[in-house]
Amino acid sequence: MDLTYNDDQQDLADSVRGFVAREWPIARVRDVQTHATGFDDELWKKVIALGWSAVAVPEEHGGLGGGLVEQLVVLEELGRGAVDSPLRTTIAYGAFGLLRGHNDSARARHLPAVAAGEAIVTAAVLESDGRAVWPVVTTDETAHSADHARLHATKTLVPYAASADHFVVTTRLIGIGDAVLLIPADRAGIRMRRQTVPVGEPRYRVDFDDVEVRREDVLAAGDAARELFTTCAELDTILTAAYTVGLCHSALALTVEHANSRVQFGRPLGAFQAVAHRCADMHTEINATRLMVFEAAWLLDQGFDARLASAAAKAHVDQTVALVSAHSHQILGAMGFSTEHDLHLFTRRAKAYEQSGGGLDRHLHRVADLLGL
Amino acid sequence: MDFAFSETEKTFREELSTFLDQEVAEWWRHLFHAEERTIPTSRELAAKLAERGWLTMSWPPEYGGSGADAWMQVVLREEMWSRGEPRGPQYMNVNYIGPLIMHYGTEEQRERFLTPISQGRVIWCQGFSEPDAGSDLAALSTRARRTADGRYVITGQKIWTSYADAPAQWCFLLARTNVDVRPHQGLSLFLVDMAAPGVTVRPIESLIGTGEINEVFFDEVEVPADCRLGAEDDGWEMLRTGLALERIGVPWYADADRFLERLVAYTRETMVDGRPLSEDPRTRTRLAELYVRCRAARLVTYRAVSLQEKGSATALESASAWMLGGLTQQLAGQVGHETVGALSVLHADDPDAPMDGWAQFQQLLAIPTTIAAGAIDIQRNIIAQQGLGLPRSN
């Protein structure tokens, strides 16, 4: 047992932190989110050149052969800088969708480019109600055989759709049943609209309007599709959680900075216990969350059952985000309500991830199931 | 990062668990369950643990240990606290009183005090809190005056002293030796014989029963020079080290985990409107929340132990761990109360009490866990000031 970084993990964390400070200061974060696509191609090329999309991909597939723990080290540091990128979906749905899917030829064909980050993969999984992942499809919408299926779907909150090379899509097809597909972004019939999300990664509504589905696009079908989606979603949850932990660390750092410098009633705010104790609680909860998230990743790396650890970790993340967001904004007061201050860049991103992949209640029920309740 | 216990540690846990299943009496509820038979029973168990080399295994061999790493000690603590700490008051000796004597004591003091601890045959109490010095411990007024020949004469009153009436043979006492410096710079630690003339113990009735907590009066108690621990006026720094050890040494999460298991079983057996209570959505999420909080408290404690093993400072992590452990116990008490409902008022002695009265007991246990060994708001101050660099509040 050792809940500290080893030397390699510490070096990795230091190098990502250095990169963020050098290449991706907060001014750039503000700038990128106003780009038409919300995507910074120049920086993405630097990120993938450092191998950060391939940390946890096995070496025989062109990856670095590290663990998810190391991948989380990267994500946490990126979160500290509020550095958005298509990294998490490219890894969780792209690399691991191909790795754990049941399509050898797709894996051989696409994985090297996906692991290298040259092909960006995003997740078009959330149905337009923002809750379901698997659609209810009626027969008259999809008349086809297994070899010539047509995809009709509307997906929401799809990150980086305009920059993606592939969409991972969850759907239900006649003759196939539930399916996880890897659809090239240039396939005819795909339309998208950037949704209005002022802060954070760009999100799109994506319509798949009678899009051709080829056999080679099917990563998994039937029960295997549900399993594959669960695997990818769980990974995405953990990667996102690590990123969110980084966001929370920075929200707290900004709050502490304010509590130390802002003087009211003749002393710094932090000298009031009502303020100091909120900071202490944030610190404690963020660190607890962080350990839970790393534990889930470590269990997956070891091939152990991580279902309970993952569900518990996500539940804890959600509670921590709610706490950090409420406390930090309370302490910053009106300044935190102003977009001139950086706090909202961290808290609004964190709030978005609080509900992604299902919020607190869903994950507590998942924990309850796994406890045998 | 490595989140697993080693094979040696796992084997030890199994061995210990089998041993405890046989040795811990059926009726044993908790260290805090005041009954006449509690103390003799805990003495017997501590002696048996000592015989097997388990009581102080992480101590060096010259002081009766086997040099095991801190994780073996973690396994031991968890198995103890998940069974209501059957070592009784002696857990404290092993957690921090022994280690402080080992670290700051003279060779003579080590030989004199550590052997009885490692053999499981001595009960200590801690003389810290006073009627006018609780959270503001450094404001204490019990006075130790040095005589011309180097002895000390101690006069004052301590309160909330657990196990003093067990009876404890020794008191680990913090007293003022210097009134001319800032309050926390004039304190010293003493190892006081409770049989010395002038020591009086008065038990205080607590929510859990009589005899858990006491007042201890020191009236001109003579303490020889060789019973001062460390240098004069250095008590506060030593105590800070000791309390950090104490705060990771009591895994409340292990106790809450055990209670959660009981609650899960209870909700599966209990029918409400023809359905098992375990299907009720609110009950499910409340028990799940307790599970999540237990897991978090456990990991923060492991993080503190990881740092301790590397020789890094642990004051901050142990403050977080203690706070989360206490809050987890508080949640356990509340969730138990909600889950069992109206009948959770029934005491264990009542034949109608569900779960043998555990819900009632756990509610009471939830009260001191956020207060003892430094109230959680004091932990928050430690985290804010030492960890985050916020200014002192006064």
Side-chain angles (χ1 to χ4, degrees):
Chain A
M1 189 85 69
D2 179 5
L3 272 54
T4 63
Y5 282 161
N6 62 31
D7 290 344
D8 289 345
Q9 290 160 350
Q10 189 59 55
D11 288 348
L12 179 60
D14 291 343
S15 81
V16 182
R17 198 176 292 195
F19 174 86
V20 171
R22 224 169 34 246
E23 305 280 350
W24 223 315
I26 206 74
R28 186 143 195 176
V29 169
R30 284 177 177 274
D31 183 42
V32 170
Q33 63 194 22
T34 64
H35 287 189
T37 59
F39 177 66
D40 189 327
D41 190 46
E42 185 195 331
L43 279 169
W44 176 249
K45 287 204 170 73
K46 287 184 182 174
V47 165
I48 62 177
L50 289 162
W52 292 346
S53 58
V55 172
V57 176
E59 287 170 10
E60 68 259 36
H61 296 290
L64 302 181
L68 287 168
V69 167
E70 283 73 25
Q71 190 70 69
L72 256 57
V73 171
V74 173
L75 265 299
E76 184 188 341
E77 292 302 329
L78 294 178
R80 280 180 191 264
V83 170
D84 296 316
S85 75
L87 206 53
R88 65 180 182 90
T89 52
T90 299
I91 295 165
Y93 288 93
F96 279 85
L98 287 161
L99 271 169
R100 303 282 167 81
H102 301 267
N103 186 330
D104 294 344
S105 64
R107 187 184 306 128
R109 217 167 112 208
H110 299 299
L111 188 51
V114 169
E118 286 154 13
I120 291 171
V121 180
T122 191
V125 293
L126 203 57
E127 292 284 292
S128 54
D129 67 355
R131 296 176 193 278
V133 166
W134 302 99
V136 179
V137 180
T138 57
T139 48
D140 55 0
E141 285 178 52
T142 53
H144 42 58
S145 73
D147 287 325
H148 300 286
R150 311 295 297 184
L151 175 62
H152 296 262
T154 296
K155 297 290 185 175
T156 193
L157 297 179
V158 180
Y160 293 102
S163 315
D165 298 285
H166 302 277
F167 293 98
V168 166
V169 186
T170 46
T171 190
R172 185 168 299 139
L173 300 170
I174 285 177
I176 293 180
D178 291 334
V180 175
L181 310 173
L182 185 76
I183 302 286
D186 57 7
R187 189 88 33 102
I190 300 175
R191 289 181 287 114
M192 63 186 73
R193 176 181 69 77
R194 186 168 175 187
Q195 292 167 310
T196 308
V197 180
V199 166
E201 56 186 21
R203 306 290 194 131
Y204 292 80
R205 172 191 160 116
V206 180
D207 289 295
F208 297 87
D209 186 10
D210 197 34
V211 171
E212 180 194 3
V213 178
R214 299 174 191 161
R215 171 108 5 230
E216 70 205 46
D217 302 331
V218 181
L219 294 181
D223 288 344
R226 294 244 169 190
E227 267 172 47
L228 179 61
F229 169 73
T230 303
T231 300
C232 294
E234 196 174 273
L235 275 170
D236 185 34
T237 296
I238 291 171
L239 295 175
T240 309
Y243 183 80
T244 308
V245 166
L247 293 169
C248 289
H249 277 304
S250 288
L252 173 60
L254 289 171
T255 307
V256 168
E257 196 181 296
H258 180 73
N260 267 323
S261 59
R262 169 85 170 159
V263 173
Q264 291 286 277
F265 303 102
R267 45 180 155 154
L269 285 186
F272 295 97
Q273 288 191 337
V275 172
H277 287 187
R278 284 187 170 113
C279 293
D281 284 353
M282 287 193 272
H283 174 86
T284 296
E285 296 298 337
I286 294 167
N287 281 328
T289 294
R290 176 174 178 274
L291 296 172
M292 294 187 81
V293 174
F294 272 98
E295 186 191 28
W298 185 87
L299 289 169
L300 286 169
D301 279 340
Q302 304 299 314
F304 295 136
D305 184 348
R307 291 173 302 165
L308 190 50
S310 300
K314 177 61 163 80
H316 206 276
V317 171
D318 295 345
Q319 289 182 322
T320 297
V321 168
L323 180 94
V324 168
S325 177
H327 281 356
S328 61
H329 277 285
Q330 189 63 47
I331 294 169
L332 264 293
M335 291 183 202
F337 193 61
S338 150
T339 58
E340 289 171 13
H341 197 282
D342 291 334
L343 180 65
H344 77 289
L345 298 174
F346 297 94
T347 54
R348 289 170 90 181
R349 279 177 170 79
K351 288 299 278 184
Y353 295 128
E354 179 193 323
Q355 292 300 322
S356 78
L360 178 62
D361 200 58
R362 186 196 289 188
H363 285 89
L364 287 178
H365 276 291
R366 175 97 173 124
V367 168
D369 287 341
L370 293 162
L371 290 178
L373 287 167
Chain B
M1 283 188 158
D2 178 357
F3 286 81
F5 283 102
S6 69
E7 287 309 314
T8 312
E9 288 149 8
K10 283 184 206 159
T11 307
F12 172 55
R13 193 188 289 275
E14 276 167 33
E15 207 181 331
L16 182 61
S17 183
T18 308
F19 169 80
L20 292 172
D21 286 346
Q22 286 163 6
E23 295 291 336
V24 178
E26 218 25 44
W27 57 265
W28 181 273
R29 184 165 287 259
H30 209 286
L31 145 77
F32 301 113
H33 189 240
E35 278 194 63
E36 294 238 333
R37 54 190 175 169
T38 306
I39 294 295
T41 305
S42 73
R43 277 181 181 278
E44 272 173 42
L45 188 87
K48 283 183 184 168
L49 287 166
E51 273 168 36
R52 284 162 180 75
W54 288 344
L55 193 62
T56 52
M57 70 176 83
S58 66
W59 292 13
E62 59 265 41
Y63 304 121
S66 50
D69 71 13
W71 296 108
M72 294 287 268
Q73 203 67 41
V74 169
V75 170
L76 183 82
R77 285 174 202 149
E78 290 183 347
E79 292 304 309
M80 292 296 160
W81 286 87
S82 70
R83 287 175 174 80
E85 185 47 280
R87 287 175 298 181
Q90 294 191 54
Y91 80 90
M92 217 162 58
N93 305 355
V94 183
N95 268 357
Y96 83 94
I97 293 175
L100 283 185
I101 293 172
M102 208 180 298
H103 196 77
Y104 297 106
T106 61
E107 194 46 51
E108 193 224 341
Q109 284 173 332
R110 290 181 201 155
E111 272 174 31
R112 180 177 176 192
F113 293 108
L114 296 182
T115 305
I117 291 180
S118 70
Q119 292 172 347
R121 53 186 178 82
V122 63
I123 290 177
W124 284 76
C125 60
Q126 64 176 37
F128 299 160
S129 294
E130 295 185 2
D132 293 326
S135 285
D136 186 9
L137 184 59
L140 63 83
S141 59
T142 292
R143 188 80 166 90
R145 288 192 175 77
R146 184 151 33 90
T147 61
D149 57 358
R151 289 169 300 128
Y152 290 86
V153 176
I154 296 180
T155 297
Q157 182 191 349
K158 297 291 175 179
I159 196 167
W160 318 129
T161 313
S162 301
Y163 330 121
D165 64 320
Q169 287 110 304
W170 291 89
C171 180
F172 197 75
L173 182 86
L174 188 67
R176 184 163 306 288
T177 36
N178 192 338
V179 291
D180 300 325
V181 290
R182 290 174 53 191
H184 58 275
Q185 290 168 337
L187 301 171
S188 303
L189 279 168
F190 295 94
L191 313 172
V192 180
D193 185 347
M194 291 288 281
V199 179
T200 319
V201 173
R202 184 187 77 83
I204 299 170
E205 190 172 328
S206 82
L207 298 187
I208 294 167
T210 304
E212 300 300 336
I213 47 179
N214 303 273
E215 279 180 298
V216 184
F217 300 90
F218 298 85
D219 182 14
E220 304 279 309
V221 175
E222 282 198 24
V223 175
D226 63 4
C227 284
R228 190 192 69 222
L229 184 68
E232 198 176 83
D233 296 349
D234 267 3
W236 188 254
E237 279 312 307
M238 289 187 274
L239 189 72
R240 273 168 41 143
T241 312
L243 285 176
L245 292 171
E246 169 76 345
R247 285 168 191 152
I248 52 177
V250 179
W252 283 122
Y253 58 81
D255 183 276
D257 252 346
R258 172 180 69 157
F259 182 56
L260 175 60
E261 272 175 38
R262 288 201 171 92
L263 284 175
V264 169
Y266 170 81
T267 60
R268 291 170 62 162
E269 291 158 5
T270 303
M271 302 298 282
V272 178
D273 297 332
R275 312 284 306 168
L277 182 56
S278 58
E279 292 179 9
D280 170 59
R282 167 80 179 165
T283 301
R284 285 165 51 84
T285 54
R286 286 296 270 168
L287 294 189
E289 201 181 340
L290 180 56
Y291 175 83
V292 171
R293 304 308 298 183
C294 283
R295 194 158 183 139
R298 178 187 295 270
L299 289 179
V300 173
T301 303
Y302 289 178
R303 164 97 178 159
V305 175
S306 299
L307 292 168
Q308 185 191 357
E309 277 291 272
K310 286 174 190 282
S312 308
T314 58
L316 181 59
E317 279 72 16
S318 54
S320 283
W322 189 241
M323 185 172 108
L324 286 181
L327 290 172
T328 301
Q329 279 291 60
Q330 216 171 55
L331 181 66
Q334 181 61 24
V335 170
H337 190 44
E338 292 169 14
T339 303
V340 172
L343 293 181
S344 73
V345 298
L346 291 172
H347 187 272
D349 292 345
D350 194 288
D352 295 333
M355 290 174 68
D356 297 326
W358 275 101
Q360 165 64 201
F361 178 72
Q362 208 79 22
Q363 277 177 67
L364 297 178
L365 191 58
I367 296 172
T369 52
T370 54
I371 297 167
I376 58 170
D377 285 342
I378 297 301
Q379 310 310 314
R380 289 180 167 116
N381 286 349
I382 292 172
I383 295 163
Q385 290 159 23
Q386 294 178 33
L388 301 174
L390 289 168
R392 291 187 62 83
S393 47
N394 47 8

